[in-house]
Amino acid sequence: MALRFEILGRFNRARAAKLTLPHFVCETPLFMPVGTQGTIKGLTTSQLEEIGCHIILGNTYHLALRPTSELIHEMGGLHKFMNWPRALLTDSGGFQMVSLLHLADITEKGVTFQSPVDGKPMLLTPEESIQIQNRIGADIIMALDDVVKTTITGPRIEEAMYRTLRWIDRCIAAHKRPHEQNLFGIVQGGLDPVLRDICVRGLVDRNLPGYAIGGLAGGEDKDSFWRVVAQCTAALPEDKPRYVMGVGYPLDIVVCSALGADMYDCVYPTRTARFGTALIPEGVLKLKHQAMANDTRPIDPTCECTVCKKYSRAYIHCLATKEAMGSILISYHNLYYMMKLSRDLHSSIVDGRFPEFVCTFLQKMFPKGDVPQWVCNAMEAAGIDISSCCTPPDTNHANDVTRPDNNTSDCPKEESNEVL
Amino acid sequence: MNFSVKALSNGGGRAGLLQVGSCSFETPALLITTRKGLPTFISPDMLSSLPTPDCRLLQFSPLHLLESISMKTISEIGGLHQMLGLQEHVFAAVPRDGIISLPDYQSANKTGASFETPCGRLLIKPVQYMEMISSMKPNMWSTLADEVPAWVSEKRNKTSVDRTLRWLDDCIKSPFAKNTGGAVFGSIVGGSRIDERKRCALEVAKRDVSGFCIGGFGLGESMDERPALLNAITECLPEDKPRQICGLGLPEEVLQGVAAGIDLFDSSYIYHLTLGGFALTFGSEGIAKHGSEDRLTDSCGDGTKINLKATIYRKDASPILEGCKCYTCQKHTKAYLNHLFNTHEMLAHILLEIHNAHHYLGFFRMIREAINRGKFNEFRQKFVATRRDYIIGAASSA
Ligand SMILES: [Zn+2]
Ligand SMILES: [Zn+2]
């Protein structure tokens, strides 16, 4: 085990912790931006430090293809290769194969797929995934799991869950750098509480440094989503970090944190930036919208990032989706927003004002008091009283602001890597 | 704006001091070409990692903003500097940028100049141009020109001079002109005709302008005919006003311009290099360490630029240029840049534009130093010869 996880504060199920990894001391709850190919699109590593990013994700599948894990190893590991002094996390690569490659096939041996280089069939085994991740050298590496779509039902879910459990032992056995890299197991089991329970217990028995809740954010309904998170966080050990994979909407992060999750990743903030959408407390701001052309306010008047300090919506409107600088500036703001959200979650839990933070957050996002039912349900389970923000206050609803679709966790396949 | 010539060197070349507000710049200088006011890839915070004050001279085309934001909104925001968050920077407005706003002489007519832009073809009339200038309030702005390529007929070339002179008067006399707060640079055209170039320069010099913007270069004329044209123009211009040029980008072209007494250049060359994955590496030692031109000669052996996409850099753990003080060379290896280019990552262009801009600003510093030492001619000849030798050497060994 190459991490320390110290809980600094709690509010019911929510916790704020100090997560000490080989390369950085992180604070949770924590959003981790996705840097698929060894870079967060459009931002320098200095900017990422300035924004306050603690951990960056790399995608094993993409890195193994280019520049290859051997090359990264030869260059001294991914930290050195991309010159990122803070923490890194790599996924197993299996998810990308299943979601990006049509001809991927999962057998007991591993994931068989057609090589995108020469079209030949290739096999990614749990051992190989770990070997590649050992070469890349991230602080946290992920076990290869049998990934199935959340919307699938029937015996395939059960098969995938048991296979994930069998593969974890192969991953543990193959892991050559347990004192420098932390292997996280992934809880599978679809939306079935019985299967999830078996999987959690199986993984906890292995005493891993941390655990991820997988197979979510794939289009399931929000009530199922939070219930799975709530079930898993309740059953996972208190003293280990819990990572909900592929979750990235601010609202989802607040809800999951209330339920006791600690870490999140998603390409949403940076991808949506490239399409001209900025994250703001009220929801999202579509900077391409014609109304922005004459709006001299900053993206978010309450944001303290350099983009909001310097630029008007009107100017960003000129750049959005047209110029590289549009992506750069909106990505900067969006990641700043996500990291600020992480810091606010952390400090409000430590300072014992988590419910107030949640209520303020919800009030801004739902000024009419129309907090979605699933959020109310989840908060009730989390023991957070949000009744004050469910009564409509007498304010005008800003009509230039829209919210992302919060009815489903539609951070689908592409949300765990970012290539385009 | 204030300008004074501080030193003249043999073989042409003048070193000057350009003062704009509280900023002063030594010339010859590079204006960093922008896209809608910001560098293409270098964000404002990274821009400040480039040498100061050199990095504060920016060139922009008002036409870039025409389609997406109203002039009223720009005025409301407080003009260009405020809108771009670059209050400390100096902006020189030129309608043509050499990248995405190109003169389209066939569609120009007596009422205005035409440009090919990403928003399609735009016909810009003097009054409309002046409205843009008065809303944006750049520190310097050049008047609207009817730029024509080298191959047009004598008649068309003459028309271009006539129109450019008329539009100059239209711009200066426009009611918006009082409101700009910026220094006027009179545009000079005349194509490849020495007589027309002279006529235009002499006429513009009679007007109440603070500087000159020489247009119509880089539009099909040959390198060989350029010195005579440039000299013909600068001979007609007063010594004490700055001269800006558009369309000369390559190091040899810049040296040609400097030799003829040009003070300000644009950086569209860097943009094209960066897009192609090329990193400038010439005169590395000299630029990195303030060295003399002897060192330039020594280190030119490795060529003038490298292509970071080349397979040989796959595992190259060294920076683009040993000794370079730019952000990119301080932080990243060729191997990483090679990977970023291979995977089409935006960071590739960001990091490379930083290095190239840093490097080219360094090249201009070396030019200034050579002029100040009275050795510009030697500097130029050595530079050109070394580069030529390298190209010949590379060709014969290939
Ligand atoms: Zn901001
Ligand atoms: Zn450099």
Side-chain angles (χ1 to χ4, degrees):
Chain A
M1 205 165 299
L3 65 77
R4 261 199 348 264
F5 187 73
E6 300 154 71
I7 294 178
L8 305 178
R10 291 174 206 272
F11 191 92
N12 291 341
R13 302 175 59 156
R15 57 256 199 98
K18 184 166 103 175
L19 170 63
T20 308
L21 293 171
H23 287 85
F24 200 68
V25 181
C26 317
E27 289 186 338
T28 69
L30 179 62
F31 175 76
M32 307 179 287
V34 180
T36 294
Q37 321 209 71
T39 159
I40 305 280
K41 294 202 179 304
L43 298 175
T44 63
T45 47
S46 313
Q47 288 173 323
L48 293 165
E49 282 189 70
E50 193 179 285
I51 285 168
C53 297
H54 296 182
I55 308 181
I56 288 175
L57 253 77
N59 285 119
T60 292
Y61 170 77
H62 294 93
L63 293 169
L65 278 179
R66 287 182 306 190
T68 75
S69 62
E70 289 83 359
L71 188 140
I72 292 175
H73 179 67
E74 219 176 298
M75 302 302 293
L78 186 57
H79 287 91
K80 201 170 167 215
F81 185 62
M82 63 183 286
N83 194 8
W84 173 246
R86 299 187 177 181
L88 284 167
L89 182 153
T90 46
D91 63 2
S92 67
F95 186 85
Q96 258 78 28
M97 290 179 185
V98 175
S99 58
L100 295 178
L101 304 171
H102 299 298
L103 296 165
D105 184 33
I106 301 175
T107 63
E108 194 54 30
K109 273 200 224 164
V111 185
T112 312
F113 64 102
Q114 217 181 9
S115 159
V117 180
D118 55 14
K120 283 185 192 147
M122 310 258 295
L123 178 70
L124 180 78
T125 61
E127 291 79 8
E128 258 172 346
S129 168
I130 298 301
Q131 200 189 358
I132 295 169
Q133 294 188 73
N134 279 162
R135 283 196 287 256
I136 295 172
D139 300 73
I140 297 172
I141 63 175
M142 302 303 296
L144 186 69
D145 54 348
D146 184 354
V147 188
V148 286
K149 283 200 175 111
T150 27
T151 43
I152 278 181
T153 50
R156 179 70 186 94
I157 299 282
E158 187 170 352
E159 181 194 43
M161 187 278 287
Y162 279 114
R163 182 168 287 147
T164 297
L165 277 182
R166 287 193 296 275
W167 282 2
I168 190 69
D169 292 320
R170 290 169 60 186
C171 289
I172 294 168
H175 186 16
K176 293 286 188 296
R177 301 175 66 186
H179 300 294
E180 299 146 287
Q181 295 183 282
N182 299 285
L183 173 65
F184 278 32
I186 304 172
V187 180
Q188 289 293 350
L191 305 178
D192 185 333
V194 178
L195 296 182
R196 286 278 177 181
D197 189 51
I198 296 168
C199 199
V200 168
R201 279 191 284 137
L203 290 175
V204 172
D205 284 346
R206 269 76 173 182
N207 191 28
L208 293 162
Y211 300 93
I213 302 167
L216 293 175
E220 72 282 355
D221 69 274
K222 284 294 205 183
D223 246 315
S224 308
F225 162 76
W226 79 257
R227 281 175 210 282
V228 171
V229 173
Q231 186 201 346
C232 294
T233 51
L236 286 168
E238 266 294 297
D239 58 347
K240 302 279 175 72
R242 304 157 181 169
Y243 159 32
V244 187
M245 299 178 84
V247 160
Y249 290 147
L251 179 61
D252 294 3
I253 289 176
V254 171
V255 170
C256 290
S257 298
L259 294 168
D262 309 301
M263 299 156 73
Y264 312 92
D265 82 283
C266 192
V267 300
Y268 174 69
T270 37
R271 169 159 304 172
T272 207
R274 292 200 298 285
F275 291 109
T277 301
L279 304 178
I280 55 170
E282 293 78 15
V284 299
L285 193 67
K286 301 217 187 266
L287 287 151
K288 280 315 293 165
H289 198 284
Q290 201 46 44
M292 298 297 135
N294 299 308
D295 194 333
T296 57
R297 290 173 292 173
I299 292 176
D300 171 10
T302 66
C303 178
E304 293 189 338
C305 86
T306 60
V307 177
C308 290
K309 278 192 209 152
K310 285 189 168 182
Y311 298 106
S312 58
R313 295 174 179 184
Y315 181 62
I316 310 264
H317 169 81
C318 301
L319 303 177
T321 73
K322 285 187 186 150
E323 309 294 339
M325 197 52 68
S327 303
I328 294 170
L329 297 180
I330 306 172
S331 294
Y332 188 103
H333 163 81
N334 281 359
L335 286 187
Y336 189 94
Y337 179 87
M338 296 308 290
M339 298 320 300
K340 172 81 164 48
L341 177 66
S342 303
R343 286 194 297 274
D344 286 348
L345 285 165
H346 179 88
S347 59
S348 67
I349 296 168
V350 170
D351 300 345
R353 42 178 186 80
F354 184 59
E356 291 86 335
F357 172 77
V358 171
C359 283
T360 312
F361 176 88
L362 292 173
Q363 261 157 14
K364 280 184 200 147
M365 194 162 276
F366 305 101
K368 288 177 178 165
D370 54 344
V371 177
Q373 192 55 47
W374 72 270
V375 177
C376 300
N377 298 341
M379 287 301 172
E380 194 180 342
I384 312 285
D385 179 10
I386 58 162
S387 54
S388 68
C389 40
C390 291
T391 25
D394 187 23
T395 50
N396 288 326
H397 188 48
N399 58 5
D400 55 352
V401 162
T402 51
R403 283 191 295 275
D405 178 9
N406 279 311
N407 294 323
T408 56
S409 299
D410 58 349
C411 281
K413 334 168 225 337
E414 76 265 17
E415 295 296 343
S416 55
N417 68 78
E418 187 162 57
V419 181
L420 291 173
Chain B
M1 188 204 77
N2 254 306
F3 179 78
S4 53
V5 175
K6 297 288 177 202
L8 293 168
S9 182
N10 62 333
R14 54 189 218 161
L17 194 68
L18 177 74
Q19 279 176 295
V20 187
S22 58
C23 286
S24 50
F25 306 93
E26 288 180 50
T27 63
L30 179 72
L31 300 164
I32 296 175
T33 303
T34 66
R35 222 168 156 104
K36 297 181 180 168
L38 293 179
T40 314
F41 300 107
I42 308 175
S43 56
D45 51 330
M46 301 306 294
L47 183 61
S48 58
S49 76
L50 295 175
T52 311
D54 312 36
C55 69
R56 293 203 183 143
L57 265 182
L58 304 175
Q59 181 179 315
F60 95 111
S61 163
L63 274 55
H64 290 185
L65 293 162
L66 197 58
E67 292 276 302
S68 29
I69 185 166
S70 72
M71 294 308 121
K72 186 172 160 278
T73 304
I74 297 178
S75 294
E76 254 172 58
I77 293 170
L80 206 57
H81 296 79
Q82 193 64 31
M83 180 172 78
L84 301 168
L86 296 173
Q87 286 83 349
E88 310 275 277
H89 289 64
V90 167
F91 283 93
V94 182
R96 160 197 178 188
D97 70 357
I99 300 171
I100 54 167
S101 174
L102 304 165
D104 167 30
Y105 74 103
Q106 283 170 310
S107 305
N109 60 39
K110 61 180 181 190
T111 67
S114 178
F115 298 88
E116 286 290 353
T117 76
C119 326
R121 186 174 298 155
L122 299 173
L123 185 79
I124 307 293
K125 297 174 183 171
V127 60
Q128 189 188 0
Y129 179 66
M130 288 312 296
E131 190 191 352
M132 289 190 257
I133 296 294
S134 74
S135 310
M136 294 175 184
K137 297 198 170 20
N139 306 83
M140 291 136 33
W141 56 275
S142 67
T143 59
L144 201 60
D146 180 26
E147 292 187 77
V148 294
W151 58 79
V152 295
S153 68
E154 209 173 307
K155 188 167 167 248
R156 178 65 183 88
N157 192 34
K158 201 170 168 306
T159 307
S160 128
V161 172
D162 293 338
R163 280 179 190 165
T164 301
L165 290 172
R166 197 169 63 242
W167 295 343
L168 166 64
D169 294 329
D170 290 350
C171 285
I172 299 176
K173 286 174 192 150
S174 143
F176 290 114
K178 294 180 208 73
N179 202 23
T180 65
V184 190
F185 278 51
S187 283
I188 298 170
V189 294
S192 302
R193 296 283 310 213
I194 288 192
D195 52 348
E196 285 300 304
R197 282 286 180 184
K198 279 188 170 167
R199 176 168 76 97
C200 195
L202 285 170
E203 281 301 317
V204 174
K206 287 180 197 162
R207 297 339 195 247
D208 180 20
V209 293
S210 305
F212 304 95
C213 183
I214 302 168
F217 280 95
L219 295 175
E221 80 282 3
S222 74
M223 280 276 287
D224 292 341
E225 63 184 319
R226 211 177 273 148
L229 289 166
L230 290 170
N231 287 323
I233 299 164
T234 50
E235 276 163 18
C236 299
L237 300 177
E239 276 290 313
D240 59 347
K241 290 180 179 178
R243 304 149 181 177
Q244 182 184 359
I245 196 159
C246 290
L248 299 191
L250 295 168
E252 287 87 348
E253 294 180 321
V254 168
L255 293 171
Q256 263 188 340
V258 170
I262 309 286
D263 309 299
L264 300 167
F265 297 81
D266 68 70
S267 77
S268 52
Y269 174 57
I270 285 179
Y271 169 79
H272 294 294
L273 283 180
T274 302
L275 273 200
F278 288 97
L280 286 173
T281 55
F282 62 77
S284 53
E285 295 289 291
I287 282 178
K289 293 177 184 155
H290 274 260
S292 67
E293 67 261 50
D294 298 329
R295 309 195 61 162
L296 170 77
T297 316
D298 294 342
S299 54
C300 242
D302 59 2
T304 61
K305 57 180 185 289
I306 58 170
N307 192 336
L308 290 168
K309 293 175 179 173
T311 322
I312 45 163
Y313 301 120
R314 252 189 101 231
K315 295 183 182 177
D316 193 328
S318 65
I320 295 174
L321 196 53
E322 219 58 75
C324 178
K325 297 277 180 288
C326 85
Y327 173 86
T328 304
C329 291
Q330 295 294 307
K331 300 277 268 191
H332 295 290
T333 63
K334 289 206 252 322
Y336 183 55
L337 280 142
N338 175 264
H339 165 69
L340 294 176
F341 271 105
N342 278 335
T343 50
H344 310 287
E345 283 287 350
M346 202 192 299
L347 189 58
H349 292 130
I350 295 172
L351 295 176
L352 186 53
E353 193 179 38
I354 290 173
H355 167 81
N356 282 338
H358 185 101
H359 192 85
Y360 222 38
L361 289 171
F363 174 61
F364 275 79
R365 198 184 60 224
M366 291 173 74
I367 293 174
R368 292 194 295 268
E369 285 170 2
I371 297 171
N372 284 322
R373 283 199 315 273
K375 301 228 178 219
F376 173 71
N377 206 26
E378 290 88 332
F379 172 84
R380 180 186 175 194
Q381 273 168 6
K382 256 180 198 164
F383 183 90
V384 173
T386 323
R387 184 148 137 144
R388 194 195 300 125
D389 290 350
Y390 177 75
I391 292 164
I392 293 166
S396 59
S397 66

